[in-house]
Amino acid sequence: MDPFDTVVSSIEQHAPVGHVLDIYDKIRAEPNNDSFKHAINFMAEQTNNHGSYDAIIALGGGSTIDTAKAANLYTCYPPDDFYDYVNPPLGKGLLVPGPITPLIAIPTTSGTGSETTGVAIFDDVPTKSKTGIAHRRLKPTLGIVDQDNMKSMPSSVAKYSGIDVLCHALESYTAIPYTARPSGRPESPILRPAYQGSNPISDIWSLHALRECSQYLPRIVSDPAEDIEARAKMCLAASTAGMGFGNAGVHLCHGMSYAVASQVKQYWVDDYPKLNSDEENGHGLVPHGLSVVINAPSVFRFTGNLDKSDPLQ
């Protein structure tokens, strides 16, 4: 059964009598500030009409899950300005005031690991840049990772989302150690940044993802529909890499990818959905994994001489 039909069927069977199910299907691949606002306005309007949600289910890739995180936060705690929660220097980086609605993340791509992280990334159209919102309260309450939900993933999506897994793992493993953070230890644990620097626990997750990528990334790109083992291994690698970089952080590849992705006007990758508004607005699309990996060879030549007990890993 199609993952969407499965989710709806489960809700209809198990939700209390009289429940209200709202479906939002206007997710934009590689979301931007406008698409975030559209989702936020939809959720706020439905909340005003029917009351607060019991739960939110994000079924899709990282774009879907990140959009759900943002809509959830901004509906629970509406800010004075959209950029209040956005990371500095573009926004104020305000802390999330309290708990938000439970979010269940069901990924349909083996890539972003968004089901494990407290970040929501978007293109900021006015400044032609890419930024995000980061706080541990944004982490989904539950992630349901099942390779069957990824059967319909096109080869190009498998390729670029898988490359994102690879870079997540490599960057978090080679990140500045948590013991060497320039800012030192914050005054209170609540002020700790979302990304702590590489540490013994994040290294375990990152190395697991690296080993799986080296063996199964080429296979899932070759046959994402039929290679069940490769799908299973890569969807787990996406989550373990997410737990790795969700604690340690990423660095140069992702930092430089934002400039690559935000400046493109014409380029578009096959198999990725295109909205009419994208053509009208002259908006191209560089998949996140592609924008990240472009600079990866130079980055990892630079970080190859890292201070680890066994750099040959």
Side-chain angles (χ1 to χ4, degrees):
M1 184 180 289
D2 176 86
F4 175 79
D5 293 336
T6 301
V7 169
V8 172
S9 175
S10 178
I11 293 172
E12 298 295 345
Q13 290 181 44
H14 302 292
V17 175
H19 71 275
V20 175
L21 172 63
D22 294 324
I23 298 173
Y24 182 78
D25 59 359
K26 305 300 182 185
I27 302 294
R28 185 182 188 281
E30 303 295 341
N32 59 26
N33 56 299
D34 292 327
S35 68
F36 266 18
K37 290 178 182 178
H38 190 276
I40 292 165
N41 291 337
F42 173 87
M43 187 171 172
E45 181 179 353
Q46 298 304 110
T47 299
N48 289 335
N49 292 337
H50 307 299
S52 299
Y53 287 101
D54 296 308
I56 300 166
I57 299 174
L59 175 68
S63 297
T64 298
I65 299 172
D66 283 5
T67 300
K69 292 174 183 176
N72 191 5
L73 168 60
Y74 281 69
T75 301
C76 289
Y77 303 103
D80 294 331
D81 182 82
F82 174 77
Y83 293 95
D84 283 353
Y85 292 123
V86 175
N87 296 335
L90 197 61
K92 295 180 180 178
L94 296 184
L95 299 178
V96 177
I100 58 179
T101 303
L103 170 62
I104 300 173
I106 308 176
T108 57
T109 63
S110 51
T112 67
S114 186
E115 68 276 7
T116 70
T117 70
V119 294
I121 302 299
F122 67 94
D123 290 317
D124 188 60
V125 176
T127 59
K128 298 180 181 179
S129 62
K130 197 154 190 167
T131 184
I133 307 160
H135 193 276
R136 58 180 58 86
R137 290 194 184 274
L138 294 183
K139 289 184 179 182
T141 310
L142 176 68
I144 300 176
V145 181
D146 186 340
Q147 55 83 20
D148 279 345
N149 294 329
M150 303 167 191
K151 286 182 179 178
S152 62
M153 185 170 52
S155 178
S156 63
V157 176
K159 174 170 60 178
Y160 293 124
S161 62
I163 286 172
D164 194 26
V165 178
L166 178 65
C167 288
H168 282 159
L170 280 168
E171 288 177 69
S172 58
Y173 187 68
T174 58
I176 294 174
Y178 76 103
T179 53
R181 283 207 310 262
S183 58
R185 179 179 295 179
E187 295 180 0
S188 168
I190 197 64
L191 299 177
R192 288 185 302 176
Y195 293 157
Q196 296 289 304
S198 66
N199 58 79
I201 302 302
S202 66
D203 284 354
I204 293 172
W205 298 121
S206 301
L207 287 173
H208 171 271
L210 282 172
R211 294 186 185 104
E212 299 297 70
C213 283
S214 66
Q215 185 170 355
Y216 295 103
L217 177 53
R219 283 175 50 179
I220 196 173
V221 173
S222 297
D223 192 2
E226 299 299 329
D227 195 332
I228 298 173
E229 182 183 25
R231 283 205 316 270
K233 295 292 187 178
M234 284 303 298
C235 72
L236 180 58
S239 294
T240 57
M243 287 185 278
F245 91 83
N247 287 279
V250 287
H251 52 74
L252 291 171
C253 295
H254 273 74
M256 292 190 291
S257 77
Y258 297 160
V260 174
S262 63
Q263 300 297 318
V264 171
K265 300 300 181 186
Q266 302 296 329
Y267 184 81
W268 207 281
V269 175
D270 292 340
D271 295 332
Y272 277 74
K274 181 184 293 187
L275 303 176
N276 290 334
S277 59
D278 292 323
E279 294 181 339
E280 294 169 2
N281 297 330
H283 188 284
L285 176 70
V286 177
H288 178 61
L290 176 56
S291 67
V292 167
V293 80
I294 285 174
N295 293 305
S298 296
V299 168
F300 296 121
R301 278 194 294 269
F302 174 72
T303 61
N305 189 27
L306 75 165
D307 183 18
K308 293 282 187 178
S309 59
D310 185 5
L312 290 178
Q313 293 192 71

